[in-house]
Amino acid sequence: MGHPFPIREIARQAGLSEATVDRVLNGRGGVRRSTAYEVHRAIADLDRQRTQVRLVGRTFMCDIVMQAPERFSTAVRAALEAELPALHPAVVRCRFHFRETGPAGELADTLDRIARRGSQGVVLKAPDVPEVTAAVARLTAAGVPVVTLATDLPASPRVAYVGIDDRAAGATAAYLMGQWLGDRPGNVLTSLSSGFFRNEEEREMGFRGVMRARHPGRALVEIAEGQGLDATQYDLVRAALERDPDIRAVYSMGGGNIATLRAFEDLGRTCEVFVAHDLDQDNTRLLRERRLSVVLHHDLRQDLREVCHHVMRAHGALPPAGPPRPSPIQVVTPHNMPLDTPLEPAAP
């Protein structure tokens, strides 16, 4: 496999020893297939990031650790790599650790491996559970600053949270839902990918508080633990619709929206109002097709730029700044979609 990178750089990117990288590149035995994959992925990461930045200036090697559906982690990765040129003269290089679901203990193990290996910063999207909070504390004790992205771990010693005010976002969703439903009867399905993600919990509280105050007669039907994945979301939504024939609207806090709409269609039901979050490829397509009413969005590129600045400040490379402000919430309809939204939809 031809490449222009020294073994030392590949080993650093992959988090492996130089000897292991050398064995993989020269086709020697004694290396697991998963290890060889890590080496080849590191080379691909280096090549892609090399096209974004010139390897000059101070370099920060960071680890991006996320539990999220692939459509969201892909959007985060693209936003980060698009922002790299704006960070000159500093250079941020990234190792990616993405998964869609799994036990919290395995996520904590990933963080512990990073603490042992070393990193100049961890960007983390993870459930707010004790195992993860404890692992963040161990990272901090090892001198690795942690910035939480999109969902917070407020009991952990992370240096900052970057994302929207999720309670305000939930309240905004309730305001829009009430305006569009008006006096028409019908219950609202509220969908969380998991009750352990702080951002979704905050959205749910904001939504429920406004609906209770302004629309007390409208029932809210909650489903959770679909992990934002279409394969699991469909069964949860279909079961809820079969139990409650009066569900006519959806507030989706965690994704799986293609499956949600398919469940409505398969039962011959109409979703009159659908409020969702994030302009990933799925939601971009659904909004363009007018199958979503509105998407509450925030600028991921701006968020990732702020994340990198927090890491740099933690190392004294930027002057201190005041407390971070929440990312602005954009109310996106088919008529005001940002110019950089994805053009090609993900396959259902």
Side-chain angles (χ1 to χ4, degrees), residues 228-264:
L229 306 177
D230 288 334
T232 47
Q233 183 75 2
Y234 178 86
D235 291 338
L236 290 170
V237 175
R238 181 166 182 140
L241 293 176
E242 289 173 341
R243 289 192 304 268
D244 189 335
D246 294 324
I247 294 174
R248 292 186 173 85
V250 173
Y251 175 37
S252 172
M253 292 161 259
N257 299 327
I258 288 176
T260 296
L261 286 165
R262 189 168 71 246
F264 272 87

Side-chain angles (χ1 to χ4, degrees), residues 4-336:
F5 308 109
I7 286 178
R8 181 183 300 107
E9 286 297 314
I10 299 170
R12 186 182 183 200
Q13 181 74 25
L16 299 169
S17 70
E18 293 181 29
T20 298
V21 172
D22 183 72
R23 284 200 299 273
V24 172
L25 295 181
N26 290 286
R28 301 190 184 98
V31 180
R32 290 180 299 178
R33 181 180 300 178
S34 60
T35 302
Y37 172 77
E38 290 296 324
V39 171
H40 295 309
R41 189 177 70 172
I43 293 170
D45 286 345
L46 283 169
D47 187 62
R48 185 172 52 254
Q49 293 176 39
R50 184 185 62 162
T51 66
Q52 300 289 338
V53 300
R54 294 170 56 208
L55 297 181
V56 297
R58 185 169 176 180
T59 298
F60 297 87
M61 177 61 78
C62 297
D63 290 88
I64 317 300
V65 182
M66 298 185 63
Q67 179 171 314
E70 182 181 2
R71 60 181 177 272
F72 185 75
S73 57
T74 298
V76 167
R77 183 174 191 155
L80 174 60
E81 292 176 346
E83 277 302 304
L84 294 181
L87 301 174
H88 288 263
V91 172
V92 174
R93 294 251 305 279
C94 301
R95 297 179 289 234
F96 298 94
H97 314 265
F98 294 159
R99 68 179 202 164
E100 291 195 305
T101 186
E106 291 181 3
L107 190 56
D109 289 344
T110 297
L111 298 175
D112 286 337
R113 284 195 298 272
I114 293 170
R116 290 192 297 270
R117 182 185 62 205
S119 177
Q120 290 177 289
V122 169
V123 180
L124 180 61
K125 180 185 182 296
D128 185 10
V129 295
E131 299 95 320
V132 174
T133 297
V136 171
R138 292 190 290 272
L139 273 168
T140 302
V144 180
V146 177
V147 181
T148 52
L149 175 68
T151 184
D152 199 11
L153 302 171
S156 75
R158 49 75 170 144
V159 298
Y161 160 68
V162 175
I164 62 174
D165 180 335
D166 285 291
R167 194 169 297 214
T172 300
Y175 173 81
L176 295 171
M177 185 71 70
Q179 292 290 103
W180 274 321
L181 283 177
D183 295 329
R184 287 178 290 170
N187 299 334
V188 179
L189 182 69
T190 62
S191 171
L192 296 83
S193 69
S194 173
F196 293 107
F197 283 101
R198 173 72 60 161
N199 63 332
E200 295 182 28
E201 181 183 54
E202 293 283 336
R203 291 172 187 176
E204 194 275 338
M205 288 189 288
F207 185 81
R208 188 173 295 275
V210 171
M211 292 297 289
R212 185 185 298 118
R214 298 180 63 89
H215 310 283
R218 200 178 294 281
L220 305 182
V221 181
E222 180 179 313
I223 59 171
E225 305 310 320
Q227 305 301 324
L229 306 177
D230 288 334
T232 47
Q233 183 75 2
Y234 178 86
D235 291 338
L236 290 170
V237 175
R238 181 166 182 140
L241 293 176
E242 289 173 341
R243 289 192 304 268
D244 189 335
D246 294 324
I247 294 174
R248 292 186 173 85
V250 173
Y251 175 37
S252 172
M253 292 161 259
N257 299 327
I258 288 176
T260 296
L261 286 165
R262 189 168 71 246
F264 272 87
E265 293 162 1
D266 287 352
L267 292 173
R269 302 271 289 274
T270 299
C271 183
E272 297 179 7
V273 181
F274 198 134
V275 181
H277 279 269
D278 300 319
L279 277 176
D280 56 34
Q281 288 185 323
D282 286 0
N283 287 346
T284 296
R285 188 188 79 181
L286 294 173
L287 189 60
R288 286 195 173 114
E289 293 174 351
R290 308 301 199 267
R291 299 173 72 194
L292 299 180
S293 307
V294 68
V295 172
L296 301 180
H297 183 59
H298 56 287
D299 187 342
L300 274 177
R301 287 186 58 170
Q302 178 179 321
D303 285 357
L304 270 299
R305 186 186 320 133
E306 187 65 21
V307 162
C308 293
H309 288 169
H310 280 298
V311 170
M312 293 177 191
R313 289 190 190 101
H315 290 281
L318 288 177
R325 296 181 178 180
S327 305
I329 301 168
Q330 303 174 21
V331 178
V332 182
T333 73
H335 304 287
N336 70 330

